[in-house]
Amino acid sequence: VLALTGAAALVPVTAAHAEPSCADARQQFVVNGEAAEKVAEQLNDAKVDRAKVAKTVAAADKKARAATQQYGKVAGDFKKVVAGELKNAPAGQFAVFFTSDSPKAFADRMALMDYVAGRKGKTIDALATVRADAVTAQGEAKKHLAAKTKVEQDIAAKAADLRKRAGTLSGLLSRL
């Protein structure tokens, strides 16, 4: 039994299981602190960037809602006018509009109808374009916000890891 204990005393402790020296632990602590400071600055910058993008998203949402509301109002007004004219005009009056004594009078009536429809149609088309652009801008702003939020979350995870590491290194330093 004595021979076994003597042999065990001669087996060196491997470096993989040994705690670092006090100087190494201090150096790791300093390096971790510097890394934590950099990550904290990055996190603050990411929060500021995300806040700016969130304001952009809010403005894009407001613009898209306004454009959609204006489009709906004009399109609804146009539908009401057309529906009202068709409901109020008896079939005989409507037929009179399309019949005339001369081709010129018929062409004049058709030109007037085309003008009114075209004017309203152009307004509705222009508003539809504005609405589509606003909705596209809103979508892009939301994508940008999602990307900024992801960056902020990644940096926050790094900061949490560094804080955990600092706690471990503090415990190690206190034991040494």
Side-chain angles (χ1 to χ4, degrees):
V1 175
L2 196 48
L4 288 176
T5 56
L10 295 176
V11 176
V13 177
T14 60
H17 298 308
E19 288 187 354
S21 69
C22 186
D24 289 341
R26 287 181 200 273
Q27 179 61 29
Q28 288 178 3
F29 190 76
V30 168
V31 168
N32 190 67
E34 290 170 354
E37 187 176 324
K38 288 178 185 175
V39 168
E41 289 174 10
Q42 290 174 344
L43 182 58
N44 287 338
D45 291 345
K47 286 180 179 183
V48 168
D49 285 348
R50 187 185 52 78
K52 287 178 184 176
V53 172
K55 287 180 182 178
T56 303
V57 168
D61 282 344
K62 185 177 180 181
K63 188 175 180 180
R65 280 193 305 273
T68 300
Q69 187 178 23
Q70 187 179 10
Y71 173 81
K73 183 181 181 317
V74 170
D77 289 348
F78 184 64
K79 287 177 186 174
K80 286 177 189 174
V81 167
V82 171
E85 289 300 319
L86 291 176
K87 286 179 185 175
N88 292 335
Q93 287 179 349
F94 198 66
V96 168
F97 184 77
F98 289 106
T99 58
S100 66
D101 297 336
S102 70
K104 182 179 180 338
F106 180 75
D108 289 343
R109 288 184 185 136
M110 293 308 295
L112 178 63
M113 194 164 129
D114 186 50
Y115 171 75
V116 171
R119 206 173 89 214
K120 287 288 186 178
K122 286 179 186 176
T123 303
I124 291 172
D125 289 345
L127 286 173
T129 301
V130 168
R131 183 183 78 172
D133 292 346
V135 169
T136 300
Q138 178 187 32
E140 291 299 320
K142 285 182 178 180
K143 285 179 188 176
H144 197 201
L145 178 62
K148 291 293 184 179
T149 301
K150 175 80 170 106
V151 167
E152 182 182 346
Q153 289 170 344
D154 290 347
I155 294 172
K158 282 183 189 178
D161 183 51
L162 287 170
R163 281 190 299 274
K164 181 180 175 186
R165 194 184 222 177
T168 302
L169 288 172
S170 293
L172 181 62
L173 278 175
S174 68
R175 286 191 310 235
L176 295 175

